[in-house]
């Protein structure tokens, strides 16, 4: 028999009653998933195992989405003003690519540290400290003088401190507030912020740069919004009990009218608009398709991710090849390519959370960040810039375009490799999920102590005493 509080769909209880003979042939993991989805009678009215009411849980997700949006706005603000930065400092493609590389490297190597802290200490205060630091460093980067490109590199690297403190922890808070389909939906909302934030960063950066005729001002938008994020974290977010829902024992811009903005962006900033729209469509379609296929195939999640990457590769290839001949065709292919690329974002986060026990999720998020960036965008901007510089035979506009076009083709091959990796993941996903769900840890587990050359098992408590 399963117990669940009808007033708290974010926090169902589980039960281990022995009188439930139905589904005796199921695995333990399958019985737990089935029990979590059943309706029943809950604990005291208004009480939630996570210690957070359903209404407040919704507000917490909204705050976390807002901060995630800011994170990705900040990342892509630099991309929106990169030509002006190159002209200001007099640098080439390879050097400008270092701006993203130093940030990703910092983010990548600091993620395990914050993952460790997130699994052991109050996650709310860790995020508050990290975002405050991120806000101050981002603001400082906007005052970099002309002869100090190294200072801009340094501050962009330090921005990774704040983002590592947030990205490794925020998904685990959502995981401790919701379970099953509800968790997947909330994660999909959370990861909508990635494409939307990326597109807005590109749009806002370009627009502020155009208005002020100075790229420095573009970097001063997100710090102002970051202060609001810190206040919202302190006021709204509450630390949920780890694993309880699974029954585990424990600024200011020159403003114009909205219609004028939409008209201007529709004419001049197609890429940013496409990124916002395709990100929304990709995440939504990926989650919807995964939810529909799960009822028919338990390996649906990695299969959907694989399909998204494999379908994205040819569209990205065509968008790069057609860039010189037809800009309309390029935008069309980018639209479909980015849509398919976005399908896996929320699903990957859900996979990571359900194959790892609650007390290790922040660490798992950290290692996922390290590995994904280590083999992805940590060195790719610099690598593509270096390849572009090496292929360029002259400083003519044609060769600047052609060399960058050829170097970007590397991304298509990486997408195919990623799709193949997800297909391999599908072979093991069921076993890994069941192992995580069946995991139990006893505080008094026996340990092995040598005694006269032999191993002897004794309780931990006897050693501590």
């Amino acid at each position: 028999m399963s117990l669940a509080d009808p007033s708290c769909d974010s926090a169902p209880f589980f039960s281990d009653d022995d009188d439930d003979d139905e589904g005796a042939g199921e695995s333990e993991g399958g019985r737990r998933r089935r029990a979590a989805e059943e309706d029943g009678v809950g604990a005291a009215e208004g009480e939630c195992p996570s210690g957070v009411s359903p209404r407040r849980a919704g507000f917490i997700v909204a705050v976390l989405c807002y901060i995630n949006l800011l994170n990705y706005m900040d990342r892509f603000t630099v991309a929106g003003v990169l030509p002006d930065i190159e002209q200001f400092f007099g640098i080439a493609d390879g050097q400008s690519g270092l701006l993203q590389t130093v940030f990703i490297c910092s983010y990548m190597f600091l993620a395990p540290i914050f993952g460790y802290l997130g699994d052991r200490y109050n996650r709310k205060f860790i995020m508050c400290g990290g975002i405050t630091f991120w806000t101050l460093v981002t603001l400082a980067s906007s005052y970099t003088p002309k002869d100090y490109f190294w200072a801009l590199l340094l501050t962009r690297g330090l921005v990774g401190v704040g983002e590592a403190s947030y990205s490794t922890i925020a998904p685990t808070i959502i995981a401790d507030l919701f379970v099953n389909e509800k968790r997947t939906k909330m994660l999909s909302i959370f990861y909508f912020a990635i494409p939307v934030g990326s597109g807005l960063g590109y749009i806002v950066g370009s627009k502020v740069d155009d208005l002020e005729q100075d790229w420095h001002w573009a970097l001063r938008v997100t710090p102002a919004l970051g202060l609001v994020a810190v206040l919202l974290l302190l006021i709204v977010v509450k630390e949920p009990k780890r694993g309880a829902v699974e029954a585990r024992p424990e600024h200011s811009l020159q403003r114009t009218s909205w219609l004028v903005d939409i008209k201007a962006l529709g004419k001049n900033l197609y890429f940013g608009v496409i990124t916002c729209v395709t990100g929304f469509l990709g995440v939504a379609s990926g989650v919807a398709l995964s939810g529909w296929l799960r009822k028919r195939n338990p390996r649906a999640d990695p299969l959907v991710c694989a399909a998204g990457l494999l379908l994205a590769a040819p569209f990205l290839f065509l968008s790069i090849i057609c860039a010189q001949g037809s800009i309309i065709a390029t935008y069309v292919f980018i639209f479909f390519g980015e849509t398919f690329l976005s399908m896996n974002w929320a699903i990957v986060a859900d996979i990571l959370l359900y194959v790892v026990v609650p007390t290790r999720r922040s660490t798992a998020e950290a290692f996922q960040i390290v590995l994904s960036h280590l083999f992805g965008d940590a060195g790719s901007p610099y690598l593509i810039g270096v390849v572009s510089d090496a292929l360029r035979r002259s400083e003519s506009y044609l060769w600047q375009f052609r060399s960058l076009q050829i170097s970007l083709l590397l991304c298509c091959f990486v997408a195919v490799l990623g799709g193949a990796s997800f297909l391999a993941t599908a072979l093991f996903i069921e076993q890994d999920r069941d192992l995580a769900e069946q995991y139990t840890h006893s505080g008094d587990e026996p340990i092995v102590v040598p005694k006269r050359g032999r191993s002897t098992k004794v309780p931990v408590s006897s050693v501590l005493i």
Side-chain angles (χ1 to χ4, degrees):
M1 179 178 180
S2 170
L3 300 177
D5 183 356
S7 67
C8 181
D9 61 353
S10 66
F13 286 117
F14 296 159
S15 166
D16 292 327
D17 293 352
D18 295 330
D19 58 348
D20 185 4
D21 295 326
E22 183 180 354
E26 297 181 50
S27 67
E28 179 64 23
R31 286 197 296 272
R32 290 192 183 191
R33 288 196 297 274
R34 178 173 53 81
E37 294 168 356
E38 294 175 355
D39 294 326
V41 181
E45 185 176 357
E47 179 184 349
C48 298
S50 66
V52 179
S53 68
R55 183 178 181 181
R56 187 166 189 175
F59 285 128
I60 290 174
V61 172
V63 171
L64 297 180
C65 288
Y66 169 71
I67 300 173
N68 206 27
L69 186 79
L70 288 184
N71 279 340
Y72 281 87
M73 276 186 65
D74 179 71
R75 286 196 195 187
F76 284 84
T77 296
V78 173
V81 297
L82 192 59
D84 287 345
I85 292 177
E86 290 181 341
Q87 183 178 4
F88 181 81
F89 290 105
I91 57 177
D93 289 344
Q95 290 173 290
S96 63
L98 282 175
L99 288 171
Q100 181 73 352
T101 297
V102 296
F103 161 74
I104 293 298
C105 288
S106 170
Y107 176 48
M108 177 180 68
F109 289 115
L110 289 169
I113 297 175
F114 286 104
Y116 174 87
L117 297 174
D119 279 336
R120 290 159 178 81
Y121 302 103
N122 189 291
R123 293 170 286 186
K124 170 182 173 178
F125 295 130
I126 293 173
M127 288 192 297
C128 285
I131 293 171
T132 300
F133 183 81
W134 162 77
T135 299
L136 295 175
V137 172
T138 301
L139 183 62
S141 69
S142 71
Y143 291 95
T144 307
K146 189 170 185 177
D147 296 328
Y148 292 85
F149 177 68
W150 64 266
L152 182 61
L153 284 176
L154 175 63
T155 52
R156 292 307 297 174
L158 292 176
V159 166
V161 176
E163 292 214 21
S165 71
Y166 176 78
S167 299
T168 58
I169 291 174
T172 70
I173 292 180
I174 296 177
D176 286 334
L177 293 172
F178 306 95
V179 292
N180 300 313
E181 298 299 323
K182 189 75 170 179
R183 176 190 291 170
T184 302
K185 291 178 181 178
M186 292 301 170
L187 285 170
S188 68
I189 295 172
F190 176 79
Y191 282 98
F192 276 143
I194 296 179
V196 175
S198 301
L200 285 177
Y202 186 87
I203 292 171
V204 172
S206 300
K207 188 69 173 179
V208 174
D209 188 15
D210 291 339
L211 290 173
E212 299 295 332
Q213 295 299 309
D214 185 355
W215 64 267
H216 293 85
W217 282 98
L219 300 183
R220 295 168 188 167
V221 177
T222 50
L225 300 175
L227 294 177
V228 177
V230 174
L231 292 176
L232 289 174
L233 269 177
L234 292 172
I235 297 171
V236 177
V237 175
K238 179 182 178 181
E239 176 82 1
K241 299 176 182 176
R242 300 176 194 265
V245 294
E246 298 165 288
R248 307 270 185 178
E250 215 187 357
H251 159 29
S252 178
L253 296 175
Q254 181 179 344
R255 297 183 181 275
T256 56
S257 70
W258 186 78
L259 290 177
V260 171
D261 288 342
I262 294 298
K263 184 178 179 180
L265 296 176
K267 289 182 178 179
N268 302 321
L269 299 166
Y270 295 112
F271 184 76
V273 174
I274 289 174
T275 300
C276 289
V277 174
T278 57
F280 182 88
L281 292 176
V283 172
S285 60
V287 170
L289 182 60
S290 175
W292 180 73
L293 287 177
R294 280 179 185 176
K295 301 174 183 177
R296 297 162 176 78
N297 189 336
R299 300 175 179 177
D301 288 348
L303 292 177
V304 170
C305 293
L309 286 174
L310 294 176
L311 288 171
F315 286 106
L316 294 178
F317 177 82
L318 290 172
S319 69
I320 296 171
I321 295 299
C322 294
Q324 186 176 5
S326 172
I327 191 64
I328 296 177
T330 297
Y331 281 133
V332 171
F333 290 131
I334 286 176
F335 180 90
F336 287 105
E338 287 194 341
T339 299
F340 288 123
L341 273 178
S342 303
M343 288 177 64
N344 64 64
W345 286 340
I347 303 173
V348 166
D350 198 20
I351 292 174
L352 180 67
L353 292 170
Y354 66 59
V355 299
V356 178
V357 295
T359 55
R360 298 172 183 167
R361 283 175 178 158
S362 289
T363 301
E365 287 280 347
F367 277 101
Q368 189 265 347
I369 288 172
V370 169
L371 294 176
S372 63
H373 291 303
L374 179 63
F375 297 106
D377 54 358
S380 59
Y382 178 69
L383 175 62
I384 289 176
V386 169
V387 173
S388 175
D389 291 340
L391 293 173
R392 189 179 305 165
R393 297 182 182 178
S394 70
E395 292 303 318
S396 66
Y397 175 79
L398 178 61
W399 269 108
Q400 289 180 16
F401 172 85
R402 182 60 58 83
S403 62
L404 200 56
Q405 180 188 41
I406 297 173
S407 64
L408 285 171
L409 292 175
L410 292 171
C411 300
C412 306
F413 296 100
V414 173
V416 173
L417 182 62
S421 299
F422 275 116
L423 290 176
T425 301
L427 300 175
F428 309 100
I429 190 72
E430 289 183 275
Q431 179 183 358
D432 290 345
R433 178 170 51 196
D434 286 343
L435 287 173
E437 291 176 343
Q438 295 172 25
Y439 176 83
T440 57
H441 175 74
S442 171
D444 198 39
E445 286 184 345
I447 62 174
V448 178
V449 179
K451 181 180 180 181
R452 295 183 181 178
R454 295 185 300 172
S455 298
T456 303
K457 290 186 177 181
V458 299
V460 174
S461 56
S462 66
V463 178
L464 297 177
I465 294 172

